[in-house]
Amino acid sequence: MNSPKIADIRAVPISFPVPPEHSVRLGIGRSVKRDAVLVRVETDEGHVGWGEAHHGRSPGAVARLVDTTLRELAVGLEAFDVHGVWARIYKMQLASHGMGAAAALALSGLDLALWDLRCQATGWPLYRMLGGSAKPIKAYAGGIALGYQEPAKLVDEARRHVASGYRALKLRVGDTAARDVARVRAVREALGDGIELLVDANTSYTLDDVRRVMPAFEECSVGWLEEPFPPQDRRAYATAATLGRVPLAAGENHYTRYEFAQLLEDGHVGFVQPDLSKTGGLTEAMRIAAMASAQKLTVNPHTSATAINMAASIHFLCAVDNPGYFEGDVTTLNPFRDALADRLPYALDDQGCVRPPEGVGIGLTIDTAFIADHPLIDGPCYV
């Protein structure tokens, strides 16, 4: 089969405002809008693939990087040669001219779109293209939810998610140690031992915070403490790993297999969490999964904003031998999840699991009218 050429690459930054009644407060601020950067790739045969690049809190800048640098580097290359496209952009941009995280985000969206095109050529679902099968994947209730609020209200929210079928929940910590402990204890006491509790500090903890919360988190059988520190603070991760028995989780803000290689070599993290829209796309996430598998660790991908990333993440988990959790998005208001495509990206079964959408590629058809109705809104997404 002859490979079509990449004829055009365009980024489409989109946004929607978050009304106060749907706002959630967590370690990186209070949500006031949601952003995403979609990446559209067209071939010289007229086929179109879609991907999602994480907005990086600068959706206009990420979109501009796609429309200029990535377009200049990739137009004219073979669309099915995803590894070759990845290698060229890495060599000419990430490895030699910087832009670091922004370039990884932009490349992620392009890479996902190229995998979409490969699937269209075969008519296969993405999990099959990757060598996997449509197996059940356990899910936890995550997204922009279960944030800072009074313990009684948090318990009410947690109960709703359990009633909907989730058997695992991720609570937002990183407030004060005392308030974090009070919330986690309240949810554990209300839900009992049959529900897995995970916590996410969104890089907002100090080492002293970890010392204070770890005994209570152990008592409450917390499954992991996610991103207590920024990814660059390797010394803090090393120290925190000695402060208790709750394993650490990280990877949402690690980019490419090279940063994950260091994370895995350090050996302080028990769960790895690459985001397909941040770390370099599906191509790189598959490499990271293999590296983690060699150390008997599961991959638990962080979920980005739209149905594209969510569906792709489930297909990815179905194609690796070390799948962990899928992060279900239980944000109360997210039209990027609910209305971007012709169907929802996933459904939860009575065992708290999800399966990949069937159909070509990720199994979704993108609604271009919806995209046109949600242009970029300037300003921060968290305040």
Side-chain angles (χ1 to χ4, degrees):
M1 178 187 299
N2 292 328
S3 177
K5 299 292 194 294
I6 298 173
D8 196 20
I9 302 170
R10 295 294 175 188
V12 188
I14 56 177
S15 302
F16 70 87
V18 176
E21 64 270 22
H22 291 290
S23 182
V24 175
R25 190 162 62 91
L26 55 156
I28 51 176
R30 179 174 58 84
S31 60
V32 293
K33 74 179 175 87
R34 297 293 299 275
D35 298 311
V37 178
L38 306 185
V39 179
R40 181 185 186 275
V41 178
E42 185 171 357
T43 72
D44 58 0
E45 296 178 351
H47 297 291
V48 173
W50 287 96
E52 177 187 348
H54 192 275
H55 58 81
R57 210 163 181 164
S58 299
V62 173
R64 183 63 175 164
L65 182 57
V66 172
D67 288 343
T68 55
T69 304
L70 263 65
R71 187 176 187 276
E72 293 161 2
L73 289 172
V75 165
L77 299 181
E78 292 189 5
F80 296 163
D81 183 16
V82 291
H83 292 277
V85 173
W86 202 100
R88 173 169 171 76
I89 292 173
Y90 180 81
K91 176 181 179 181
M92 301 300 291
Q93 183 61 40
L94 276 78
S96 62
H97 283 77
M99 294 298 290
L105 304 182
L107 173 56
S108 297
L110 170 59
D111 184 82
L112 286 167
L114 294 179
W115 279 101
D116 185 19
L117 288 168
R118 284 174 61 89
C119 290
Q120 289 180 39
T122 61
W124 285 2
L126 180 57
Y127 68 79
R128 183 178 299 168
M129 176 66 71
L130 296 171
S133 63
K135 57 193 176 187
I137 300 296
K138 62 183 181 178
Y140 71 82
I144 310 302
L146 294 159
Y148 301 168
Q149 51 190 303
E150 291 302 312
K153 291 184 177 179
L154 181 61
V155 166
D156 288 343
E157 182 184 353
R159 281 180 169 144
R160 290 197 301 273
H161 299 317
V162 171
S164 74
Y166 284 100
R167 296 294 173 262
L169 310 175
K170 188 169 78 177
L171 309 181
R172 299 292 179 164
V173 295
D175 188 2
T176 69
R179 287 196 286 265
D180 288 343
V181 167
R183 292 186 183 109
V184 172
R185 279 182 171 154
V187 174
R188 173 56 78 203
E189 290 171 2
L191 300 184
D193 296 332
I195 300 299
E196 173 117 73
L197 290 187
L198 315 169
V199 299
D200 184 355
N202 292 109
T203 73
S204 295
Y205 269 163
T206 64
L207 278 170
D208 185 59
D209 291 328
V210 176
R211 289 189 184 96
R212 291 171 183 271
V213 301
M214 189 61 81
F217 288 176
E218 288 186 16
E219 178 188 338
C220 293
S221 300
V222 168
W224 74 48
L225 168 56
E226 181 174 338
E227 281 203 314
F229 318 110
Q232 299 84 3
D233 199 348
R234 293 169 54 203
R235 186 181 295 273
Y237 275 93
T239 302
T242 70
L243 297 178
R245 291 176 294 177
V246 175
L248 306 180
E252 167 187 348
N253 290 302
H254 287 75
Y255 303 100
T256 78
R257 63 190 183 276
Y258 301 108
E259 291 190 9
F260 274 89
Q262 185 69 70
L263 182 69
L264 292 168
E265 288 168 11
D266 287 346
H268 307 310
V269 169
F271 298 90
V272 293
Q273 302 171 303
D275 184 326
L276 271 61
S277 294
K278 300 179 82 171
T279 200
L282 184 58
T283 299
E284 197 71 342
M286 291 294 290
R287 294 164 172 159
I288 292 164
M291 293 163 63
S293 176
Q295 297 198 20
K296 306 301 182 185
L297 299 178
T298 60
V299 285
N300 304 262
H302 171 262
T303 298
S304 280
T306 85
I308 294 174
N309 175 282
M310 295 173 194
S313 294
I314 300 172
H315 284 270
F316 161 70
L317 286 165
C318 287
V320 299
D321 70 349
N322 53 336
Y325 275 114
F326 167 70
E327 181 179 6
D329 179 60
V330 296
T331 310
T332 56
L333 176 69
N334 186 0
F336 292 169
R337 173 195 62 209
D338 299 336
L340 175 65
D342 61 331
R343 58 182 292 193
L344 294 174
Y346 61 90
L348 199 67
D349 68 18
D350 58 4
Q351 300 300 310
C353 294
V354 297
R355 292 177 183 268
E358 289 294 342
V360 178
I362 61 173
L364 307 178
T365 300
I366 304 305
D367 185 346
T368 55
F370 174 90
I371 295 172
D373 289 341
H374 291 80
L376 178 65
I377 300 171
D378 289 331
C381 51
Y382 297 97
V383 295

